Amino acid sequence: MEEFMTTYFAAVAAAACVLCASSPSEAGGTGRFLGSLLARGAVRAAVAAGTSSSSSAKTYSADVLTVSQLAQCIKRASKLDEDSARLETSRTALQASLDEYDQSKATVEAQRASLNRSSSRAVNSFNALVDRHNAMLTDVKAKQSAFNADIDAHNVEVNAYNGDCAKQYYADDLVEAKKQAGVTGG
């Protein structure tokens, strides 16, 4: 049980870091990923302000997203923001299960201390309580494992997104990219 709790606290701490880093942004109602992606265009626009805005004058090097790439990054950023919100909900539910487990553990310890071991009825009742507590522990471990797997998968997606989309783009490409991505506003 000690090993589980140590693993649990390490996993929750790691998850909290990931989830805090991907919390929704207050500005414009976009999440952190999409908001960050959309903000980068302003940087590129300032750099390109002195050049012609026609697409023939644009240079799409390896560090500048094309309209098509930008549209894909917008879709991916939106999905990452949705996934982040879902993971936060899962984290909250997991924490509630852990709190319930902690209450159950306290109940088991309190009843263990006052158990009348000479009463078969009291012993049977206590054993039933322990069985429920152990089932709860199994359930919490399964939830923790599933949550950790979801966090790991999310981190893989974040790393891939960062590698593909942490680039600049021309601000005037954003309108067309949003259309291609099916995104309005933002």
Side-chain angles (χ1 to χ4, degrees):
M1 189 170 334
E2 292 256 344
E3 180 180 329
F4 167 72
M5 294 309 285
T6 302
T7 303
Y8 157 71
F9 287 120
V12 168
C17 291
V18 169
L19 291 174
C20 288
S22 56
S23 63
S25 169
E26 296 296 322
T30 60
R32 182 182 80 87
F33 291 100
L34 185 56
S36 176
L37 177 66
L38 297 178
R40 275 200 304 279
V43 172
R44 186 66 188 172
V47 170
T51 66
S52 167
S53 64
S54 72
S55 58
S56 63
K58 295 178 184 176
T59 304
Y60 293 99
S61 61
D63 65 336
V64 178
L65 297 169
T66 65
V67 173
S68 174
Q69 290 170 328
L70 180 56
Q72 286 302 312
C73 288
I74 289 170
K75 288 178 185 178
R76 289 170 70 184
S78 293
K79 180 160 181 350
L80 286 171
D81 287 333
E82 289 170 9
D83 291 347
S84 294
R86 180 185 52 78
L87 287 169
E88 180 58 27
T89 300
S90 294
R91 185 201 61 77
T92 301
L94 176 61
Q95 186 59 53
S97 292
L98 287 164
D99 292 345
E100 187 178 345
Y101 168 80
D102 288 342
Q103 289 174 343
S104 175
K105 182 178 177 182
T107 300
V108 167
E109 293 304 319
Q111 288 195 13
R112 181 187 321 265
S114 64
L115 179 62
N116 178 358
R117 291 173 180 11
S118 62
S119 166
S120 63
R121 184 177 206 184
V123 169
N124 289 341
S125 177
F126 178 75
N127 287 341
L129 176 69
V130 169
D131 288 344
R132 286 190 302 274
H133 175 74
N134 289 338
M136 187 182 296
L137 176 59
T138 299
D139 183 57
V140 167
K141 283 182 177 182
K143 287 178 181 177
Q144 178 72 59
S145 180
F147 179 74
N148 289 346
D150 287 347
I151 290 292
D152 290 345
H154 181 72
N155 286 341
V156 166
E157 292 299 318
V158 168
N159 289 336
Y161 168 83
N162 286 338
D164 296 341
C165 299
K167 300 174 183 178
Q168 295 180 328
Y169 60 87
Y170 291 98
D172 58 340
D173 288 346
L174 184 58
V175 173
E176 180 59 29
K178 282 182 170 182
K179 284 180 192 174
Q180 288 182 16
V183 173
T184 59

